[in-house]
Amino acid sequence: MTVVAAERITSADEARAVAARMAAEFAPGAAHRDRERELPFAEMDRLAASGLLAITVPAVLGGADLPPSELAEVVRVLAVADPNIAQIPHSHFVYVNLLKLAGSDSQQHRYLGQVLSGARIANAQSERGGATVTDIATTVRPIDTGTRFRIDGVKYYCTGSLFADLLAVLTRLDDPDERSGLVSGQYIAYLPADTPGVEIVDDWDGIGQRTTSSGTVVFDSVVVDRDQLVHRSAAVDAPTAYGAFAQLLHAAIDAGIARGALNAAAEFVRTKSRPWFEAEVARAVDDPLVIQRVGELAVSVSAAEAALLAAGAAVDTARNAPDRVGAASIAVATAKVLADRAATEVSSALFEVSGTRSAAAGLNLHHFWRNARTHTLHDPVRWKYQHIGRSLVHGTPPPLHGVI
């Protein structure tokens, strides 16, 4: 496993400043990378070296231990510049959080120490073929005295896998060896991406988020030690805000896409659009109907950003208050709905306010819409409405399944 040498970020102000600097570096090439499907290896190296990927590591281990709200702002700022780069480390932060919630002291020191040094984690979680996305066929089985295990299976949509130093693999243990001390259930196996038997396939062909390396990973007789396995139960079967944390970052990505699309629309109208003749103005930027529409879009984006701030504060509170986890999940669901709506609306309306010339393929302005449409498919907002409504009408708390 090879990692870059990483700086140490020690405060929220420093994290925000570094994120702004990284975003300024990444933004100019975002449309080109998307058009050419040029994977951002150099950019991800710089992101890892900046120290941003370690900002949630606990202070006792040498990290900044920044709260979810600050991480969400970092992700949002990166997503304004390049939503692909913002999504790549999503699973990294989620599986850092899983270690904090469910890992042993030795596992935290081992893996979070690597993160502090610049290591990147990618997910190997989703599968195809089951009745729903919750069906997991990838198995982990004891192979000798209970100290080693074998993993077999195929994972899809493994975002960031080509850039990863470590893979976090969702597995199912059905037949634990009593000598191992493990119980049956779902485990995350943390393993180097170059472990023998691991094959990372660059086959992601989505219409959007094209450079996220969200392809297939195959596990064929992959051998891991017992201390590489973390039982998920402590994180996902208890009110830990694990799901709210993960969903908050998805909402941040969508809010960032919305702001990026709005910025691009305003810039195009200012510098390239021609006015409609009936407006009787010399510049498109002075057309009152264009101004009206841009104002409407700005309200949608601002509402999404405000909801994201509120949701981040709610998740911050819930980290140390299990009785507030339900409220945090509802706040995040609300933010996700508004961010989803803003991202898809604004990225489409960009062309409405900019005019015909904005549709030129060479400009690749449609990457905002393709990114929004693809990323917002991650989990359906129609179920967010359900949980919000049930909470209000029935007083029913949201479920603890990890995606709300």
Side-chain angles (χ1 to χ4, degrees):
M1 181 178 68
T2 302
V3 298
V4 300
E7 300 291 333
R8 293 286 178 93
I9 291 174
T10 59
S11 70
D13 287 343
E14 186 181 0
R16 290 188 178 215
V18 173
R21 187 179 77 242
M22 292 287 99
E25 289 185 21
F26 299 154
H32 170 82
R33 287 190 296 270
D34 174 274
R35 182 175 61 247
E36 303 300 323
R37 197 178 175 274
E38 185 178 292
L39 299 179
F41 287 103
E43 289 77 9
M44 290 308 301
D45 283 347
R46 293 204 296 276
L47 185 64
S50 76
L52 282 175
L53 300 185
I55 60 175
T56 60
V57 172
V60 295
L61 297 178
D65 200 18
L66 295 189
S69 58
E70 291 296 337
L71 174 59
E73 177 59 13
V74 165
V75 170
R76 187 196 68 82
V77 168
L78 293 175
V80 174
D82 187 333
N84 291 263
I85 288 176
Q87 187 184 347
I88 289 166
H90 176 278
S91 294
H92 169 93
F93 290 113
V94 169
Y95 286 109
V96 165
N97 194 38
L98 185 98
L99 282 165
K100 292 164 66 176
L101 294 171
S104 66
D105 287 345
S106 64
Q107 288 170 329
Q108 290 182 21
H109 278 82
R110 177 181 182 181
Y111 295 114
L112 297 184
Q114 291 177 22
V115 168
L116 279 171
S117 297
R120 288 162 274 184
I121 304 172
N123 85 84
Q125 178 170 305
S126 294
E127 298 183 6
R128 298 174 182 166
T132 73
V133 296
T134 62
D135 293 329
I136 302 300
T138 298
T139 57
V140 56
R141 296 187 176 95
I143 57 176
D144 47 28
T145 61
T147 61
R148 297 196 307 160
F149 297 79
R150 167 179 164 171
I151 297 174
D152 294 281
V154 181
K155 298 291 188 176
Y156 302 90
Y157 315 118
C158 300
T159 297
S161 52
L162 286 172
F163 312 106
D165 303 295
L166 294 167
L167 297 175
V169 189
L170 177 58
T171 65
R172 192 187 77 240
L173 177 62
D174 295 327
D175 50 355
D177 188 309
E178 292 182 358
R179 293 170 292 181
S180 71
L182 300 181
V183 298
S184 60
Q186 291 186 347
Y187 286 80
I188 299 298
Y190 288 82
L191 62 144
D194 58 0
T195 300
V198 174
E199 180 186 6
I200 300 175
V201 185
D202 182 19
D203 60 355
W204 169 240
D205 63 351
I207 63 169
Q209 299 297 88
R210 300 180 67 223
T211 64
T212 56
S213 173
S214 297
T216 302
V217 180
V218 180
F219 300 90
D220 183 9
S221 302
V222 175
V223 177
V224 297
D225 295 328
R226 186 215 179 288
D227 64 359
Q228 292 178 259
L229 302 176
V230 178
H231 200 290
R232 294 180 78 224
S233 179
V236 302
D237 295 335
T240 62
Y242 176 79
F245 175 90
Q247 288 295 299
L248 179 70
L249 304 188
H250 281 305
I253 294 168
D254 293 338
I257 294 174
R259 176 59 67 178
L262 182 64
N263 290 347
E267 176 66 14
F268 201 93
V269 170
R270 281 193 299 266
T271 61
K272 295 183 176 64
S273 295
R274 294 187 298 176
W276 184 243
F277 70 94
E278 290 178 287
E280 298 182 345
V281 295
R283 303 182 306 165
V285 73
D286 295 322
D287 184 332
L289 297 183
V290 170
I291 293 172
Q292 172 76 19
R293 185 65 178 125
V294 170
E296 293 169 351
L297 299 175
V299 169
S300 293
V301 175
S302 295
E305 292 171 341
L308 182 67
L309 285 173
V315 178
D316 289 353
T317 298
R319 288 195 303 168
N320 300 309
D323 62 316
R324 301 300 299 164
V325 167
S329 290
I330 294 302
V332 172
T334 301
K336 186 68 168 64
V337 166
L338 289 172
D340 181 302
R341 183 186 301 166
T344 52
E345 177 191 17
V346 178
S347 60
S348 176
L350 182 159
F351 302 99
E352 174 189 334
V353 298
S354 299
T356 304
R357 64 179 62 185
S358 66
L363 296 174
N364 198 28
L365 288 174
H366 51 79
H367 82 277
F368 291 104
W369 181 85
R370 290 186 290 100
N371 290 334
R373 184 63 283 171
T374 301
H375 183 257
T376 55
L377 296 175
H378 184 274
D379 50 286
V381 294
R382 60 185 178 271
W383 277 98
K384 310 296 184 188
Y385 286 113
Q386 284 287 313
H387 296 309
I388 294 167
R390 291 173 184 176
S391 174
L392 181 62
V393 176
H394 297 153
T396 304
L400 292 174
H401 54 47
V403 287
I404 184 170

